[in-house]
Amino acid sequence: MVRGAHGHDYRAALAMSLLYFEGQRSGRLPPSQRVQWRGDSALGDGGDHRVDLTGGYYDSGDNVKFGLPMAFTVATLSWSVVEYRDRLDAAGELGHALDAVRWGADYLARAHASAGGGGEALYVQVGDGDSDHSCWQRPEDMDTPRTAYMVNASSPGSDVAAETAAALAAAAVAFTGADASYASTLLVHAKQLFEFAKNHRGLYHNSVPSAAKFYASSGDEDELLWAAAWLYIATAGEEEYDGYIAGATNLGGVRSMFSWDDKFVGAQALVAKLVLQGKLPGDGSHAEMKSNLEQFICNLVLHGGGGGGARLSPGGMLWWDSWNNMQYVTLASLVLAVHADHLTAAGAAAALRCGGASLPPARLTAFARSQVDYILGTNPETTSYMVGYGSRYPAEVHHRAASLPSIKSSPAKVTCKGGFDYFSKGSPDPNVIAGAIVGGPDANDLYNDSRQNFRQAEPSTVTVAPIVGVLARLLP
């Protein structure tokens, strides 16, 4: 058992975080499936377009497959693997991490259905949020519409196409050395999707109005930069991708958060690493991106986010928003952990300067650790916000599959409206969605454990993907 300063078992939490992705799987489950209370689901996805869109992940506690957060999940999960492969391997979790990446990457590659064909297209959603939210059903029982939505040259979605390019390029890096042929296939898709995104600009939710209420995009410049950075890494320095970064007119400035809708911080962190490694020059756009990243980090560590959109709760949690705040916490923690390691690798001359103060890398890692420890139970509620971890954790998670009896034990169909009897029951979930991280407490560290409290009680794949890397980093 590996315990941190507050007695936390990071190895157990890491194992659970990867188990969570198996609970979120859509499609035909493999023989290696460990989350046994789940069954096959959505096996006809893509049938309305005569393409195979089975697989992938349900994004949160519902049964829609949203392409933008799914791609971001694959990208940050891959980043966790790329940075901490050796630590994941030493913990015996590298295989599970690569399985989780592959499950998402396989789907994203299939969603790029006409790669290399006459007309480029990317399927970016399966299912409809409104009809899905009007039902409370297990994924295995779904009878809501499974409409597939696409972007193409005439109905563009450069944001989601670039994010999918970033995800597949990052996954290609994660699989380099493990499965070279697979990595090569993913990289081909990533390159094609990046070109598609550059050449057909437009926000995807204008082409797919069904997505607007749930995952509307604020722009595409961040995704294009993030994709270009990952492609530069995946291609071992092809000039085209640095050329895109160097010529970009919007480098993001100093951001207030890193999120599924705002990837500038991620792109800045990748470029900063390349600068510190001497693989990109430390001037011009590259220097500006590195400086912007470091100001973001200074705001977090020295000012608790002050000046940057966040603040510290009384119990020490970074707090941005009342709706799934933990997604921003885990993403910021990954950035802190990786940049600390990049500074350490670059040597003493690369110390982080925050005005007149100097922040040693260990200070960044310690801050990331404090956020992880808060999630795992070092908080005023003495509750773990990772389901299944510790002696006390949320019992009523806003998650359809977890809150309804397993189809394995109760094969009778749960109807669209019949499921709401369980939704409103106010009793613990019959299935533990181990490794899920709920939205978390409010700005005053208060948490209401109620299934109906979706802002605090719903977990999401974008929240768990980055903590995989941070937990691996915190292992001794």
Side-chain angles (χ1 to χ4, degrees):
M1 187 175 293
V2 181
R3 294 199 177 275
H6 290 287
H8 294 305
D9 187 345
Y10 298 133
R11 191 182 297 269
L14 172 63
M16 282 190 192
S17 69
L18 289 164
L19 198 62
Y20 163 71
F21 288 98
E22 297 191 22
Q24 292 299 111
R25 283 172 169 169
S26 181
R28 191 174 300 284
L29 302 181
S32 59
Q33 174 79 8
R34 294 177 294 165
V35 179
Q36 285 294 308
W37 51 267
R38 281 293 323 283
D40 298 343
S41 62
L43 298 182
D45 281 3
D48 54 337
H49 291 262
R50 297 183 181 179
V51 294
D52 178 9
L53 296 179
T54 57
Y57 292 113
Y58 302 118
D59 72 303
S60 296
D62 53 25
N63 299 326
V64 183
K65 296 193 301 206
F66 291 103
L68 186 59
M70 195 194 306
F72 185 59
T73 294
V74 172
T76 51
L77 192 56
S78 298
W79 195 10
S80 292
V81 173
V82 170
E83 295 287 348
Y84 299 116
R85 174 185 303 275
D86 290 346
R87 288 174 174 271
L88 287 163
D89 195 18
E93 294 294 340
L94 179 60
H96 293 138
L98 288 172
D99 285 348
V101 171
R102 189 188 289 263
W103 192 267
D106 281 352
Y107 171 83
L108 295 174
R110 281 197 296 275
H112 186 209
S114 54
E120 199 93 5
L122 175 67
Y123 290 92
V124 299
Q125 184 174 318
V126 182
D128 170 71
D130 285 326
S131 61
D132 181 86
H133 285 202
S134 70
C135 292
W136 195 262
Q137 281 182 294
R138 301 179 292 213
E140 297 86 353
D141 283 334
M142 274 188 292
D143 46 22
T144 49
R146 298 298 292 174
T147 309
Y149 301 88
M150 73 163 80
V151 296
N152 54 32
S154 57
S155 299
S158 46
D159 40 14
V160 70
E163 184 58 40
T164 307
L168 293 174
V173 180
F175 272 96
T176 299
D179 188 335
S181 175
Y182 184 59
S184 176
T185 298
L186 297 180
L187 186 55
V188 168
H189 282 287
K191 287 182 167 186
Q192 291 172 343
L193 283 164
F194 184 70
E195 291 303 310
F196 174 55
K198 282 196 308 176
N199 295 332
H200 303 285
R201 300 286 292 273
L203 301 187
Y204 89 109
H205 65 257
N206 294 324
S207 299
V208 183
S210 174
K213 189 188 299 186
F214 303 95
Y215 287 102
S217 170
S218 59
D220 65 354
E221 292 167 306
D222 55 326
E223 282 91 1
L224 284 160
L225 270 178
W226 171 237
W230 273 116
L231 280 159
Y232 185 80
I233 295 167
T235 59
E238 285 187 13
E239 177 57 35
E240 173 190 350
Y241 303 110
D242 180 39
Y244 184 87
I245 295 166
T249 55
N250 181 2
L251 300 174
V254 180
R255 308 308 290 176
S256 62
M257 64 172 57
F258 181 29
S259 78
W260 63 264
D261 185 40
D262 189 339
K263 288 86 174 194
F264 279 117
V265 168
Q268 291 166 357
L270 294 177
V271 169
K273 178 183 183 180
L274 292 164
V275 170
L276 289 167
Q277 291 177 327
K279 294 179 180 178
L280 284 176
D283 56 10
S285 296
H286 309 114
E288 184 178 340
M289 291 181 75
K290 179 173 178 286
S291 174
N292 290 337
L293 169 78
E294 293 183 340
Q295 187 58 55
F296 169 80
I297 290 173
C298 291
N299 287 342
L300 290 181
V301 178
L302 288 183
H303 310 297
R311 67 180 191 265
L312 281 180
S313 72
M317 169 188 64
L318 284 166
W319 193 85
W320 279 268
D321 193 80
S322 60
W323 195 332
N324 191 14
N325 182 66
M326 283 304 183
Q327 65 182 307
Y328 313 117
V329 175
T330 59
L331 284 160
S333 297
L334 179 61
V335 170
L336 287 166
V338 300
H339 194 62
D341 291 343
H342 302 161
L343 288 170
T344 298
L352 177 60
R353 303 291 304 181
C354 298
S358 178
L359 285 185
R363 180 90 178 269
L364 310 190
T365 306
F367 194 88
R369 183 190 300 269
S370 75
Q371 299 304 296
V372 171
D373 286 349
Y374 184 105
I375 291 170
L376 297 181
T378 306
N379 56 61
E381 298 262 303
T382 60
T383 292
S384 165
Y385 294 111
M386 176 181 281
V387 180
Y389 176 87
S391 59
R392 186 168 181 239
Y393 50 82
E396 290 190 43
V397 184
H398 184 92
H399 189 279
R400 284 161 174 76
S403 69
L404 295 164
S406 168
I407 196 166
K408 305 286 184 68
S409 60
S410 300
K413 178 168 182 163
V414 176
T415 63
C416 167
K417 300 302 182 187
F420 282 105
D421 292 342
Y422 295 91
F423 172 74
S424 57
K425 189 183 280 187
S427 60
D429 295 332
N431 310 299
V432 176
I433 179 73
I437 297 174
V438 294
D442 65 17
N444 295 310
D445 302 301
L446 299 176
Y447 182 79
N448 175 22
D449 186 12
S450 167
R451 195 170 295 118
Q452 299 176 54
N453 177 19
F454 57 87
R455 287 174 179 266
Q456 290 190 315
E458 187 170 16
S460 178
T461 60
V462 299
T463 308
V464 181
I467 208 173
V468 169
V470 188
L471 288 165
R473 170 61 183 86
L474 294 179
L475 291 173

